[in-house]
Amino acid sequence: MNPARRTTTAAAAAVVLATSGGLLTAVAAPSAAATTCNSPVYKRQFFANTAFSGTPKKTDCDSVIDQNWGANAPASGLPTNNFGVRWTVTRDFGSGGPFALTAATQDGIRVYLDGSRKTDVWKNVSSTVSKTVNVTVPAGKHTLRVDYVNWTGNANVKFTYAPRTSATVDKVKPLTPAGLTWDDYAADAENGPIVALSWAKNKEMDLAGYRVYRRVQGTSAWTRVATTTGTSVNDSVPMTGKSYYYEVRAYDKAGNESTGTADAGPVNTPDRTAPAAPVLTAEAVEASNNLSWTASEDAVTYRVFRKTPTTTTYSVLADITTPGYTDTSATYGRAYDYKVSAIDAAGNAAVSNVVRSTRTITPPQNVTATVPSWGAVFTWTEPAGGNTADYDVYRSTASPVALTYDNLTDCRSRKTSADASGNTVRSCTDYDGDQGTTYHYVMTRKNTAGRWSTGSAELTVTRPGDETPPPPVTGLTAEPLEYGVKLDWADSTAADLEKYWVYEDRSCCEPEYLGTVPAGTSEFVVGPSAADGETRTYIVVAVDAYGNSLTYQDETDIPDWSGPVSKVTVTELDLRPTTAPEDTAPCSLLTYTTYGDHGGMYIECADSVATEAAGINVYRWDRATSTYARVTDVPLAPTTTNYTDTTIPTGTTVYYLLSVVAADGSETFSNVDSSVSLPSGT
């Protein structure tokens, strides 16, 4: 807060100058004209009237509009009542965007943007009134003016303006950073060149920082290399032999990013970077060891090496340009170690990982298992180039699984299909085994030549545990709320409990499912539901991890449920109005529930309302006074089709009706409808 009695340096200088002239009337311009306040500081003027007429009694600078003068005069020479204060500031808003103008005042306040009134709270009040207005500020410089008046009583005023930084609101990109300059210098032979970038600071009030991007000359793909809140960055340039360009982009608190600056560069580099090391894999088949690896971007040659596990020296098999090699010279059944070196045009090289491979029949690949209640279902992919004549599945409670006759299981329901890539997929189901037991499985396959493969990777699965539903819940109670019904019960003691299902019991038909509550939680709120005095019955059923639960039997001559369930009956609170005016308005009201602190409604009127009515009022039933209280300060336009009540109390049921205001001021009333609001934070 900047007290009114404080005088700025500029204002003081104006007073000295007037005094040194011998006569105050000799000064050409008043001291107010000589006061200069540097943006974003406000220029403040005090007037001894509420019309802001005549010469200000005092002019100074104020960095924040936040004053509480109480019943006192705001400055010497001003009355305690019927005075005005005006603040003005011109500043650069950068790219502009959505802003919130927030005012709190006793008595009146008006806020102007470039002379256009945006906030108007202009009446003599006995307590502080607050109001927030959302506006869109264009890019560049703009002038804010705040006019405040006090007619009678206490005087206080507060005003702020701030950008709205929510990503759902702010869609305006920051301005592109200006003044980008760069310089490169060599750090040393090992680390390569350093690029120093600097730029001018952006004007946005919601600026979060800057992002620096780099791209290879001749490409359009930018890579972010730095993020900063400052206006300069040093970047170490990779020594790849390529040339690089840079650009800088600003980003704001909503995540909007500006366009990039003009490219800075090119920055030339020597090539001392090896290609990316290939990632080598091997697939052993009957005819060969098939090698494949990831391609390295800068590689011009790949060198393939091989050795046996008992030797230490690799021999070169081939120099090739494609990322794959088929070794048909490997002896069948003998293991070999392989590696691949990627070499670029400058001779830089990177060596892959080492893999071992033995020419053999490939076992089943990509074996997966699922365990539904009826067994264990296996799927696996036919090896590329393979042709399976038969396959076996082995099961054991011990690991590793021995491939013996005693462990051979009858995997039935054998099926063959194809995946999206055209690969052959096989599946079968082991229906045997005990529930709750852990088993280990291995698969082998036989090709058309009669050779059996080695075992696949071992899978471990546990059959589902039981088929017994949890017992009924205990301690089920129901508490009527102003916005629904709260159900509560004791935690189930079932060790395998997964969740609860909540139903409403209906005498006409099977229960209606309302929702699921996870284990560890033992309450559920039915709603939002209007508190209109109805009597309802609810059921809570425990469900275990295997899907076992007490189930509803919708058949004649048998009990409705497979076992006893917990029920509770409750009568809702009755918050309905005790009276309602006759429904004679040519408009109808339909409310809807909002998940926050707003009440929503649709308004549907006859065509005559738009041309003949003066407006539409919204009324809300006030239980404390047993009357309908109007919630619209002024009538809505007669063409209004929906309305949101931002003053709705939370956590309750409220009832609305409309009135259609005729040209002579008389009102006719609509139907009554309810709206339910949840508690704050729900």
Side-chain angles (χ1 to χ4, degrees), residues 612-631:
E612 299 175 6
I616 299 172
N617 282 319
V618 179
Y619 287 84
R620 186 176 66 213
W621 176 253
D622 186 340
R623 297 197 302 273
T625 61
S626 294
T627 59
Y628 288 93
R630 197 173 75 184
V631 296

Side-chain angles (χ1 to χ4, degrees), residues 229-417:
T229 57
T231 57
S232 63
V233 159
N234 289 346
D235 181 52
S236 297
V237 190
M239 292 187 292
T240 61
K242 300 176 182 178
S243 297
Y244 294 88
Y245 283 95
Y246 290 84
E247 74 174 26
V248 179
R249 307 172 196 169
Y251 68 98
D252 61 23
K253 295 177 181 177
N256 299 305
E257 186 178 75
S258 74
T259 56
T261 60
D263 294 358
V267 180
N268 301 317
T269 66
D271 187 0
R272 299 195 184 96
T273 302
V279 178
L280 176 63
T281 59
E283 178 190 28
V285 296
E286 285 186 81
S288 61
N289 288 323
N290 299 332
L291 308 179
S292 62
W293 54 90
T294 56
S296 302
E297 181 182 356
D298 296 332
V300 295
T301 302
Y302 299 100
R303 185 162 294 162
V304 183
F305 299 88
R306 185 186 74 184
K307 75 175 186 65
T308 60
T310 57
T311 59
T312 58
T313 303
Y314 283 90
S315 59
V316 177
L317 285 181
D319 285 340
I320 57 177
T321 59
T322 55
Y325 181 75
T326 301
D327 182 14
T328 57
S329 65
T331 301
Y332 183 85
R334 186 175 185 180
Y336 292 91
D337 292 336
Y338 296 90
K339 66 180 181 181
V340 175
S341 180
I343 307 170
D344 66 15
N348 302 303
V351 180
S352 73
N353 55 305
V354 175
V355 297
R356 180 167 294 178
S357 185
T358 304
R359 283 177 57 189
T360 185
I361 299 172
T362 305
Q365 303 292 296
N366 307 318
V367 183
T368 62
T370 57
V371 282
S373 59
W374 60 83
V377 180
F378 300 95
T379 60
W380 56 278
T381 306
E382 185 87 307
N387 192 355
T388 298
D390 196 5
Y391 61 92
D392 284 338
V393 178
Y394 296 84
R395 181 189 70 207
S396 174
T397 56
S399 178
V401 179
L403 305 183
T404 64
Y405 179 81
D406 290 339
N407 289 334
L408 189 63
T409 186
D410 185 11
C411 202
R412 305 186 294 276
S413 297
R414 298 192 174 202
K415 299 177 182 178
T416 302
S417 60

